[in-house]
């Protein structure tokens, strides 16, 4: 196991979040420390005071609190991009979803928290170990991990949505066409423009798919300090482009 259990989430009035793993130790923060006796006794919704008088609010971790602590090795997809995938495909508790490559399993785990079932394909065994640890840490029961090359074949069928996050997504079009249900969504995530062009051109040529759109999500965070309200000065980063297509026939 890579992780200790996260038992409690603690938030300060300033919005800083801490995770209490071991309730047998005092929790030290820059806002002072909370005694282990207080941590142990604390119930959800309790308010504790640190030795310096700061308030600490305590609750049990939600999925998203734990998700933010998963182990990351491969570059994981940011939440803003996962959000668009869920919104555009309408993945929900009835959906069977497939993703490749698993990488650290971030996309697979997030989608498993909203879908009925997620099957995740990964060629590298070392990454599969990380995915397994993350699945266990998040206590997800609806993920199947397969050590397979998605460019070669997908041995699953009746899939509602496939998310590709790998270097040559156009090589997976044939296998995705077989695995998806008619009407099922194919989503490809690529960091660079030539990959988008090659994927979209290949999807357009492939009779199994109807191409829908390519989009980039730009999330700009703002600072709100009294009436000093403005975009954060830190530069906007780039993650990737999302291309969407629908399977229409085999
Ligand atoms: N979406 C993942 C990150 C994926 S990184 C996350 O959010 O955590 C890309 C992964 O694709 C790498 O782990 C790589 O090993 C895997 N990969 C590359 N080619 C593949 C293929 N043909 N079949 C399956 N996995 C592949």
């Amino acid at each position: 196991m890579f992780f200790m259990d996260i038992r409690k989430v603690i938030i300060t009035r300033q919005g800083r979040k801490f995770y209490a793993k071991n309730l047998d130790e005092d929790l030290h923060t820059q806002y002072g420390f909370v005694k282990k006796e207080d941590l142990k006794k604390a119930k959800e919704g309790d308010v504790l005071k640190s030795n310096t008088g700061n308030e600490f609010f305590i609750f049990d971790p939600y999925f998203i609190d734990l998700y933010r602590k998963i182990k990351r090795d491969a570059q994981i997809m940011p939440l803003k991009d996962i959000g668009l995938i869920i919104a555009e495909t309408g993945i929900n508790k009835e959906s069977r979803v497939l993703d490749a490559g698993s990488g650290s399993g971030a996309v697979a785990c997030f989608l498993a928290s909203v879908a009925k079932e997620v099957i995740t394909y990964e060629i590298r065994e070392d990454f599969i170990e990380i995915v397994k640890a993350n699945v266990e840490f998040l206590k997800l029961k609806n993920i199947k991990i397969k050590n397979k090359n998605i460019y070669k074949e997908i041995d699953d069928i009746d899939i509602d949505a496939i998310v590709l996050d790998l270097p040559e997504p156009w090589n997976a079009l044939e296998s995705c066409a077989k695995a998806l249900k008619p009407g099922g969504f194919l989503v490809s995530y690529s960091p660079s423009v030539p990959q988008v062009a090659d994927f979209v051109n290949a999807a357009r040529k492939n009779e199994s798919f109807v191409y829908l759109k390519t989009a980039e999500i730009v999330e700009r965070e703002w600072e709100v300090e009294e009436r000093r309200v403005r975009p954060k000065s830190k530069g906007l980063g780039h993650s990737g482009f999302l291309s969407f297509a629908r399977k229409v026939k085999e």
Side-chain angles (χ1 to χ4, degrees), residues 17 122 144 195 233:
K17 190 160 75 168
E122 173 57 55
K144 270 196 210 117
Q195 288 168 304
S233 45

Side-chain angles (χ1 to χ4, degrees), residues 74-77 101-107 121-124 127 148-151 165-167:
Q75 183 71 41
I76 73 166
M77 193 186 292
S102 323
S104 312
V107 169
Y121 278 53
E122 173 57 55
I123 36 172
R124 280 182 51 178
F127 279 128
K148 280 184 172 264
N149 181 343
I150 198 173
Y151 299 155
D165 178 3
L166 30 69

